[in-house]
Amino acid sequence: MTTISLLFTGKLLDKVSHWRAMQEVDQLIMIIPVVLNLNGNLEMNLSARLGTAANVGELDDPAVRRSIIFGSLALLQVQTIFVSFIAACIALILGRFVPRNGPQRAPMSTGNSTALAVRELVTYSLDFRETSNGRKSGIPTLIMVASTTMTAAALSGIILGSFMCTLIVLCRKFNRDPDNIAPAVASCLGDLVTLVLVGFVSTLLIPFIRTPIPFVVALLVLCCAITCFLYTLKNEHARPLLTEGWSPLFGAMVISSGTGIVLDMFVSRYEGFAVLAVVISGLPGAAGSILVSRLSTSLHAAKLALENALPSYSSQPKHPEPSALLTMATLLLITLPVEVFFLSILDGLGWLNLPFLFIVFSIVFFCCAVLSSLIIARFLTHFLWSIQRDPDSYALPIHSALMDLIGQLLLVLCFEIVSHLGGQVRKDK
């Protein structure tokens, strides 16, 4: 499911980049990868927190469940709207000061991971400046970009947040562990839904860019954020989270943006790099997010047990919790067949024509990516817990951004090795 969603998002990204709004206000294209990454991280944080609450029994009381869910959704609105506005300002600044590399636009590829999207989308926006006197900038552009991203982020938070809350409650009701389901679902659906909403909202607002309508829309979204902020302050379960988890979100944004610049020279060099990077970054990241969520739940449950606060029905689980090493081995064995199946589909449909030597090395490096993801997930979760930081809020953004970087660098290494061994993997010039 995660792999299919990643491919659909990549295809959609290719289409959206040619729409009128993206052509006229290219800061919208620059901001897409940042918004996708940040919204995906917030959704995974939400799923991890609620998964922990479900597994320790906090969601079994109807009154507490309503308070936690409504507080979490309100907090999600505050975070997404605020971060989206900051991202819009950053996109406007980058649009004015980032130098251009060349006069011709590089074709969009089908990758959807943050690093690839940054590379391709920034390349496009840079090239656009060479063919004109400069990007459209100023107050109308800032309002247009901010209004689009804030509205799309708010709608995404409502839709995906409500879906994730419902999914976790149903998992608890039917005795399923949400830590095995929710993070991967949040990871695969977050990018797709957010990208659809960004394209939809920008298409609706672009005819009115020189009118007060985008400003009015932004004001309405801002009023929504203020209302949610006031509600969060009154919610005892969500109020402490208002001051937590901001630093890893912005740290992840820096890592993701830097990854796109570092990999710029390699993406256009090798055949099928964008398509393959989707899986070698996305699938290991999803596996790592599952491990983070499970480890965090175990740590919270152990803490509550020590404090004699764990409900009796949760203190003696029907099925013993598997060890961390067993969980890591299981996740590795589950993701490997998916990678083999993915490569078989690409070869069978004729989308890629890569030598057998590359297939072998790509599977090996995919295993390295998954193993790296699981090791980082385990180390990062325990490290954050040791310094009294909640892994549900701090671990997932950093882990996701690092896997974007590590996964694609491993793919670069794979291409380089096969190329030096005589494999035909370079694009025809």
Side-chain angles (χ1 to χ4, degrees), residues 259 262-263 266 273 281 365 404-414:
T259 303
V262 170
L263 297 180
F266 297 104
F273 186 98
S281 295
F365 280 101
D404 254 358
L405 175 62
I406 293 174
Q408 294 183 54
L409 287 178
L410 286 174
L411 185 58
V412 168
L413 182 59
C414 179

Side-chain angles (χ1 to χ4, degrees), residues 317-334:
K318 296 180 180 179
H319 304 287
E321 185 72 14
S323 67
L325 290 178
L326 179 59
T327 302
M328 294 171 67
T330 303
L331 290 171
L332 177 60
L333 292 176
I334 289 175

Side-chain angles (χ1 to χ4, degrees), residues 15-333:
K15 298 296 183 182
V16 168
S17 66
H18 296 89
W19 290 1
R20 175 189 168 188
M22 306 298 167
Q23 298 285 343
E24 294 190 13
V25 184
D26 53 351
Q27 286 90 345
L28 286 172
I29 292 186
M30 292 183 66
I31 204 174
I32 284 178
V34 179
V35 172
L36 295 187
N37 182 271
L38 294 176
N39 273 19
N41 286 328
L42 289 172
E43 295 294 341
M44 286 194 291
N45 284 349
L46 172 66
S47 67
R49 287 198 306 269
L50 291 182
T52 297
N55 281 323
V56 300
E58 292 182 353
L59 298 185
D60 293 340
D61 185 292
V64 175
R65 180 172 64 238
R66 284 194 297 270
S67 177
I68 291 177
I69 290 177
F70 289 148
S72 297
L73 291 176
L75 174 66
L76 182 63
Q77 289 296 305
V78 175
Q79 291 175 323
T80 55
I81 293 172
F82 176 76
V83 170
S84 298
F85 177 76
I86 297 299
C89 295
I90 292 175
L92 197 69
I93 294 173
L94 288 176
R96 294 178 62 90
F97 295 106
V98 174
R100 293 176 173 267
N101 294 324
Q104 296 189 0
R105 176 184 173 189
M108 290 293 298
S109 67
T110 58
N112 98 299
S113 60
T114 303
L116 278 177
V118 169
R119 185 210 68 80
E120 295 190 67
L121 299 177
V122 170
T123 299
Y124 164 65
S125 52
L126 296 180
D127 294 338
F128 182 77
R129 198 175 204 178
E130 289 292 327
T131 58
S132 63
N133 293 327
R135 288 190 182 91
K136 296 179 180 179
S137 60
I139 299 300
T141 300
L142 174 61
I143 293 175
M144 174 65 188
V145 176
S147 178
T148 298
T149 54
M150 291 166 63
T151 304
L155 292 175
S156 175
I158 294 173
I159 296 172
L160 285 174
S162 301
F163 174 77
M164 296 309 301
C165 292
T166 303
L167 176 63
I168 290 172
V169 171
L170 290 176
C171 286
R172 180 66 179 176
K173 180 179 180 180
F174 291 102
N175 197 27
R176 296 291 183 269
D177 189 352
D179 288 334
N180 294 333
I181 301 172
V185 173
S187 174
C188 70
L189 291 182
D191 284 358
L192 184 60
V193 173
T194 303
L195 182 57
V196 169
L197 291 172
V198 168
F200 177 72
V201 174
S202 63
T203 301
L204 290 180
L205 292 180
I206 191 61
F208 308 102
I209 187 172
R210 298 297 177 182
T211 70
I213 291 180
F215 180 71
V216 172
V217 172
L219 279 182
L220 292 175
V221 176
L222 184 60
C223 290
C224 173
I226 294 174
T227 303
C228 291
F229 176 77
L230 295 176
Y231 176 81
T232 305
L233 285 177
K234 299 178 181 179
N235 187 289
E236 61 177 336
H237 296 97
R239 183 172 57 249
L241 299 174
L242 278 172
T243 57
E244 295 181 5
W246 293 100
S247 54
L249 288 176
F250 291 110
M253 181 170 61
V254 172
I255 295 173
S256 298
S257 300
T259 303
I261 299 173
V262 170
L263 297 180
D264 179 63
M265 66 181 72
F266 297 104
V267 177
S268 58
R269 183 180 301 178
Y270 294 115
E271 184 71 30
F273 186 98
V275 177
L276 294 170
V278 169
V279 176
I280 203 169
S281 295
L283 200 55
S289 68
I290 293 175
L291 182 61
V292 168
S293 187
R294 291 179 63 89
L295 291 175
S296 179
T297 295
S298 299
L299 293 170
H300 280 284
K303 179 182 177 182
L304 289 176
L306 290 175
E307 296 173 351
N308 296 320
L310 191 64
S312 58
Y313 48 76
S314 296
S315 59
Q316 295 179 351
K318 296 180 180 179
H319 304 287
E321 185 72 14
S323 67
L325 290 178
L326 179 59
T327 302
M328 294 171 67
T330 303
L331 290 171
L332 177 60
L333 292 176

